[in-house]
């Protein structure tokens, strides 16, 4: 984008500059602290370094997670139930590693609680994200969308990647929020309507996942076991991938550092990692997407290498909208 500032707008101490100061604005909606780094660490680091506004909305604090380090076992939900605030701090550290300054919890920290894995009794807690009325939760996201006014939204596929209730609900809330944010008659007190130009779902091309496991099996690693292709979220035929972003060395390092920051959830060993199930899996330096809304910015059959591709002509419209806003 030729109108990128020479230096990205610098946020005021302890905060983020106004969204209007950024010509490119990316919004990501995730279920738990750690999902953003696992799925989009390279993407977030790339756009933050390029001066775009990267806004992360995390829907829960991850209160029902397992705890890897034995010395932190007391944080667990069936012990001190103190994992949520701890993971919020892990997330802040991960965001610093990625250079992201705008991260929020949907409805405020603790508004929606981690629902546990599908079928767990925690699914039925009244404060579980899985129980949240869709338009209530989507309304909280509309407030963010109308404030930030992103051109690009990233979230999960309808299965949440792997069927976790919070991931499925995060998908639903993200898609419903994008729909409602553009409707003038939906809660006008939340701000001017905003239509998001492009929406992507996270995915992993099967050939890349299979190659990653071949690397893992061939390499030495420290994990007690190895996951399978089916354990990786969002595996799709290669042909369904419409965008791929490959890390520069700095972004690969930032992603690994961000994943390490989620110390209670992730163990990183070079180009591999494991969750609390101790099953090694590849740490991907290229992140892949399916465009599900908006015009592709590359020719038919050619993968985009930039999620903002094709939005260039939107910049002028956004600029005039900002000028109008400033004149009001
Ligand atoms: C990556 C992700 O979405 N993690 C979730 C998930 O955690 C998994 C869960 O504890 C499972 O029982 C383990 O075998 C697996 O290793 C974990 O990754 O679900 C948690 C509870 O909802 C959630 O807090 C965590 O972020
Ligand atoms: Zn998750």
């Amino acid at each position: 984008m030729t109108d990128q500032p020479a230096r990205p707008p610098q946020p005021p101490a302890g905060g983020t500059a106004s969204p209007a100061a950024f010509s490119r604005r990316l919004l990501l909606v995730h279920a738990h602290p750690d999902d953003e780094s696992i799925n989009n660490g390279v993407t977030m680091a790339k756009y933050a370094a390029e001066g775009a506004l990267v806004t992360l909305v995390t829907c829960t604090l991850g209160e029902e997670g397992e705890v890897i380090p034995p010395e932190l076992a007391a944080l667990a939900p069936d012990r001190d139930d103190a994992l949520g605030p701890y993971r919020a701090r892990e997330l802040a550290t991960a965001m610093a590693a990625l250079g992201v300054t705008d991260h929020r919890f949907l409805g405020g920290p603790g508004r929606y609680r981690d629902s546990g894995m599908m079928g767990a009794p925690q699914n039925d807690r009244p404060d579980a994200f899985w129980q949240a009325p869709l338009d209530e939760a989507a309304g909280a996201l509309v407030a963010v969308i109308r404030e930030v006014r992103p051109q690009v939204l990233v979230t999960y596929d309808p299965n949440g990647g792997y069927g976790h209730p919070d991931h499925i609900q995060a998908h639903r809330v993200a898609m419903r929020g994008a729909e409602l944010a553009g409707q003038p008659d939906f809660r006008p007190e939340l701000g001017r309507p905003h239509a998001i130009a492009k929406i992507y779902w996270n995915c992993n091309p099967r050939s890349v996942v299979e190659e990653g496991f071949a690397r893992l099996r061939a390499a030495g690693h420290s994990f007690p076991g190895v996951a399978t292709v089916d354990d990786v979220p969002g595996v799709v035929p290669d042909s369904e991938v419409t965008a791929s972003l490959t890390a520069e060395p700095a972004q690969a390092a930032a992603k690994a550092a961000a994943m390490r920051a989620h110390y209670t959830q992730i163990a990183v060993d070079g180009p591999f990692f494991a969750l609390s199930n101790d099953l090694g899996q590849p740490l991907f330096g290229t992140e892949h997407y399916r465009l599900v809304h908006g015009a592709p910015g590359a020719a038919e059959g050619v993968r985009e290498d930039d999620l903002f591709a094709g939005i260039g002509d939107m910049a002028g419209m956004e600029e005039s909208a900002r000028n109008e806003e400033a004149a009001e």
Side-chain angles (χ1 to χ4, degrees), residues 11 14-16 26-49 52-60 86-105 156 250-251 253-263 266 287:
T16 299
L26 167 66
L27 172 65
L28 302 101
V29 178
H30 275 293
H32 312 107
D34 75 7
D35 294 311
E36 81 295 326
S37 297
I38 297 169
N39 290 279
N40 310 113
V42 166
T43 303
M44 296 171 80
K46 164 189 167 62
Y47 286 116
L53 174 61
V54 178
T55 300
L56 169 67
V57 172
T58 304
C59 298
T60 78
Y86 195 93
R87 289 182 73 177
R89 290 194 295 277
E90 290 182 332
L91 178 59
T93 304
M95 292 304 95
L98 298 177
V100 172
T101 58
D102 188 11
H103 50 96
R104 315 164 188 221
F105 290 100
Y156 310 109
Q251 292 142 18
K255 175 169 183 172
M259 287 178 68
R260 283 196 178 89
H262 291 287
Y263 181 55
I266 304 172
E287 293 166 354

Side-chain angles (χ1 to χ4, degrees), residues 32 35 62 64-66 87 114 116-117 162 164 167 275-277:
H32 312 107
D35 294 311
E64 294 293 336
E66 294 176 347
R87 289 182 73 177
D114 183 336
M117 296 291 272
Y162 72 100
H164 189 294
H167 285 230
L275 300 169
S276 58
N277 55 13

Side-chain angles (χ1 to χ4, degrees), residues 92-313:
T93 304
M95 292 304 95
L98 298 177
V100 172
T101 58
D102 188 11
H103 50 96
R104 315 164 188 221
F105 290 100
L106 185 68
R111 175 70 184 81
Y112 299 107
R113 183 178 171 98
D114 183 336
S115 307
M117 296 291 272
M118 188 60 83
Q122 296 91 326
N123 294 180
D124 302 323
R125 284 181 55 136
D127 58 350
F129 186 43
W130 186 234
Q131 296 299 329
L134 179 59
D135 281 12
E136 172 200 278
L141 185 64
V142 167
V144 178
I145 292 171
R146 290 181 175 173
E147 175 204 335
V148 171
R149 313 190 75 76
Q151 295 101 339
V152 177
L153 167 65
V154 166
T155 192
Y156 310 109
D157 64 39
N159 187 42
Y162 72 100
H164 189 294
D166 292 335
H167 285 230
I168 293 169
Q169 186 76 316
H171 161 86
R172 294 172 179 172
V173 168
M175 299 306 288
R176 181 64 171 155
E179 178 189 358
L180 292 173
Q183 294 181 4
D185 57 350
F186 178 78
R187 299 191 57 190
E189 76 279 9
L190 295 180
R192 281 186 307 118
H194 176 71
I196 296 174
K198 299 173 84 175
I199 300 176
Y200 291 90
W201 295 345
N202 294 307
C203 65
N204 285 293
R206 179 167 291 275
S207 71
V208 170
V209 177
E210 289 171 346
E211 185 278 332
F213 277 103
R215 269 187 298 116
L216 175 56
R217 283 190 292 271
H221 61 82
S222 59
F223 307 115
V226 175
T228 68
V229 170
D230 292 337
D231 293 321
V232 175
V235 176
V236 297
D238 292 23
S239 60
E240 291 189 14
V241 178
T242 66
S244 297
L245 275 63
T246 297
E248 303 287 339
Q251 292 142 18
K255 175 169 183 172
M259 287 178 68
R260 283 196 178 89
H262 291 287
Y263 181 55
T264 59
Q265 304 301 307
I266 304 172
V268 177
D269 178 7
F272 311 114
F273 75 98
L275 300 169
S276 58
N277 55 13
D278 281 337
L279 298 178
Q281 57 181 293
L283 193 167
F284 294 116
T286 297
E287 293 166 354
H288 305 272
Y289 300 89
R290 295 160 63 189
L291 180 68
V292 294
H293 168 79
E300 175 78 24
V302 176
R303 280 188 194 172
E304 297 171 308
D305 61 5
D306 176 7
L307 303 185
F308 290 88
I311 292 181
D313 51 355

